[in-house]
Amino acid sequence: YFMSLMFCNLYLDILLLVVMAYTCLFVLFFFFFFFFFQAEDGIRDAQESRGLGDVYKRQVSTQSTGDLLPTQMSFQHSLLLACLLGTATAQTVCYTGYVMDMYCIERGTLLDQASLTTLEHPADHSVHCLVDVPACEHSDYNILTLSPSQGSSTHCRAYKLDSYGKGLAVDLARSVGICSTCANTGSISQGFSATVVGTATGTGAPVPLAVSAVHQSSVTCASLGFSDTVPTEVNCAQGQYQDYIYAHGALMITSWGVLLPCGVLIAKFLKHREGALWFKIHRVNQCVGLVLCFIGFVLALYRFDVFFSGAKVDATSSYIHGVFGIIVMSIGLLQPFNAILRPHAPEEGETKTTPRLVWEILHKGAGWFAAVTAFYVMYLGTTFVPVPDDKTSFQTAYFCAIALVILVLVGLLLDKWRHDRTTSKTTAVELHEAEPTGGDEAAPGAAEPAAAPGKGADDEPAGVKAEDALC
């Protein structure tokens, strides 16, 4: 886990350096482009130049009628003027709506009331969930419409707050709401709404908003001197996390819940079968299981964020799930490389070398630890399923996986018991047939009984261990 955090920090440092380098290159290119080509324009004028100083001192000629716009304008000046005009004409936005965190929106259900759909019940969204829960407070904030969209019961996403606006919304919620981090001077426990004033910084739905002020919803836009700016397009999508959660959970239960633990049991209890059958099954089974769990691991890294600031302090279940999940996956992905580097097994009758003994302890111990810990990690994961019915289905699948592993274990133990029992009976019959008949002593001159194929008169059966040959 600490190695993964180290690599994450190193990756972020490298990414920051790359961004800074590109920024410096862009600034250098801009100044080079601006000054160099301005100088080139002056040098190439038909009028004789009096040096570079004249280039930077010359003034753009204007119309004799007193028009303020230049008759000849460089590309750089046009671009600057367009930016200034765009800024000057930026529209001030004022809107009143529900404040909702993106974590609950992407879950599809309210975190503290999982039976309620997020965008259909924003009035039931608690202030505690909005500003106290790290996962919610860490995510972006959207402003929802106060009234459902026409023909539906969904309060769609109208505007997206910037980081400054989000901070203002959090401060306001804590001042007027009831929650663990609130001032407890307000009376709002659910359905927090606000009037937001700002400037649209882009297009799309929801519209990104550079917020300048956040007021209580009782303060109307009209009282602030603005009209209520209703966006032309809204976003009603929610539950984006659900598909990723279901895919991740199904892959992990299939791999770590069934395939990989069964492979560990096969390696332990199927060695009595001839032809190294256990090794052939174990190798294929573990490879398939690792491929499936690796896909699920990549999905989790791509879509879920459980290591945000504050998660470690609160030690939430998602944080614990992420930490142990990385540990288990690291061990699982290292096991094939560990197997490739294994020392050779001793021949029959030879003792194990120290490297072989150390390798077996590490390989087997790591495998058993990962297989057992994975069941704890999977159980935590089943508690994060947002829809209650789906949560029940995943937990049922989890316990079915445990039952299947137990059945495999019982089957392997029965097979080993039957094999050992058959071997013992066969050995006893062979030993009985090898004993001389017709008295305790053989007649003088009688020939000794012939030894059974593969064994001597006084040796244990070939290929059978001494402890297996005992009756």
Side-chain angles (χ1 to χ4, degrees):
Y1 164 63
F2 289 111
M3 290 178 63
S4 65
L5 286 184
M6 181 182 67
F7 283 117
C8 289
N9 292 330
L10 180 62
Y11 170 75
L12 292 176
D13 293 338
I14 295 175
L15 182 62
L16 180 61
L17 290 176
V18 171
V19 172
M20 293 176 63
Y22 274 104
T23 304
C24 294
L25 289 176
F26 174 77
V27 173
L28 292 175
F29 173 77
F30 176 78
F31 280 101
F32 174 79
F33 180 83
F34 185 83
F35 288 107
F36 178 78
F37 284 103
Q38 282 289 85
E40 285 294 311
D41 291 341
I43 292 172
R44 292 171 183 171
D45 281 346
Q47 182 181 359
E48 183 179 359
S49 175
R50 293 186 297 275
L52 287 177
D54 180 66
V55 173
Y56 299 111
K57 294 178 182 178
R58 63 189 173 93
Q59 299 178 354
V60 181
S61 60
T62 58
Q63 296 179 359
S64 58
T65 58
D67 193 354
L68 296 178
L69 290 178
T71 57
Q72 293 181 350
M73 184 177 294
S74 64
F75 170 76
Q76 293 82 5
H77 291 162
S78 301
L79 181 62
L80 178 60
L81 180 61
C83 293
L84 291 175
L85 290 176
T87 304
T89 59
Q91 181 184 8
T92 300
V93 173
C94 182
Y95 192 77
T96 302
Y98 289 107
V99 181
M100 182 66 68
D101 59 273
M102 278 301 298
Y103 181 77
C104 285
I105 293 175
E106 293 184 330
R107 269 177 54 91
T109 60
L110 297 177
L111 182 61
D112 47 3
Q113 298 189 63
S115 60
L116 301 180
T117 306
T118 302
L119 295 186
E120 293 182 1
H121 300 87
D124 297 311
H125 185 227
S126 67
V127 177
H128 164 72
C129 177
L130 183 67
V131 300
D132 287 344
V133 179
C136 300
E137 196 271 336
H138 172 73
S139 63
D140 294 330
Y141 281 12
N142 282 191
I143 301 296
L144 309 183
T145 58
L146 281 179
S147 301
S149 299
Q150 186 176 4
S152 70
S153 58
T154 303
H155 299 258
C156 298
R157 299 154 56 193
Y159 293 98
K160 175 184 177 182
L161 304 184
D162 61 356
S163 58
Y164 178 72
K166 172 186 171 181
L168 294 179
V170 170
D171 292 340
L172 178 61
R174 286 173 175 165
S175 64
V176 301
I178 300 175
C179 64
S180 301
T181 58
C182 293
N184 292 325
T185 57
S187 59
I188 300 176
S189 60
Q190 294 178 335
F192 172 69
S193 58
T195 298
V196 180
V197 180
T199 304
T201 59
T203 58
V207 179
L209 200 62
V211 179
S212 58
V214 177
H215 306 276
Q216 297 185 37
S217 58
S218 58
V219 179
T220 62
C221 292
S223 65
L224 297 173
F226 303 105
S227 60
D228 202 1
T229 310
V230 180
T232 57
E233 185 180 358
V234 293
N235 190 333
C236 301
Q238 62 178 328
Q240 296 90 329
Y241 269 168
Q242 293 183 12
D243 293 339
Y244 290 93
I245 290 176
Y246 298 159
H248 173 74
L251 289 169
M252 289 305 181
I253 290 179
T254 304
S255 56
W256 282 109
V258 178
L259 293 177
L260 296 176
C262 287
V264 173
L265 296 177
I266 288 171
K268 175 66 176 178
F269 299 107
L270 199 63
K271 291 183 178 179
H272 56 277
R273 290 295 181 177
E274 298 178 354
L277 178 62
W278 74 268
F279 180 75
K280 298 175 183 177
I281 299 177
H282 176 78
R283 180 174 56 187
V284 174
N285 187 83
Q286 301 306 89
C287 289
V288 173
L290 284 176
V291 169
L292 294 180
C293 71
F294 180 74
I295 297 174
F297 183 61
V298 171
L299 286 177
L301 293 179
Y302 168 72
R303 199 63 182 89
F304 308 135
D305 181 15
V306 297
F307 298 110
F308 52 85
S309 177
K312 183 177 181 180
V313 176
D314 294 311
T316 58
S317 298
S318 59
Y319 177 80
I320 298 174
H321 176 79
V323 170
F324 281 96
I326 289 178
I327 294 175
V328 170
M329 281 301 306
S330 300
I331 294 175
L333 295 176
L334 288 175
Q335 286 292 83
F337 300 99
N338 189 5
I340 293 174
L341 300 176
R342 67 186 182 277
H344 291 290
E347 299 294 337
E348 187 175 355
E350 295 181 355
T351 58
K352 295 180 181 178
T353 61
T354 301
R356 176 72 186 189
L357 185 60
V358 172
W359 176 85
E360 288 187 358
I361 294 175
L362 290 177
H363 185 73
K364 297 178 181 179
W368 279 100
F369 173 80
V372 174
T373 308
F375 280 97
Y376 169 68
V377 177
M378 286 186 293
Y379 175 75
L380 288 179
T382 60
T383 63
F384 304 142
V385 180
V387 181
D389 292 340
D390 296 338
K391 178 179 179 180
T392 303
S393 300
F394 267 95
Q395 290 182 340
T396 302
Y398 168 78
F399 287 109
C400 287
I402 295 178
L404 181 59
V405 172
I406 293 175
L407 288 177
V408 171
L409 174 61
V410 172
L412 291 172
L413 292 176
L414 287 176
D415 184 74
K416 189 175 186 303
W417 175 76
R418 293 179 60 185
H419 179 271
D420 292 344
R421 184 180 179 185
T422 303
T423 303
S424 300
K425 289 183 177 181
T426 303
T427 304
V429 171
E430 291 177 350
L431 291 176
H432 178 73
E433 292 177 351
E435 293 179 356
T437 58
D440 294 336
E441 295 183 0
E448 293 291 334
K455 65 177 181 178
D458 299 325
D459 297 332
E460 63 184 38
V464 179
K465 298 181 180 179
E467 59 269 20
D468 293 336
L470 296 178
C471 296

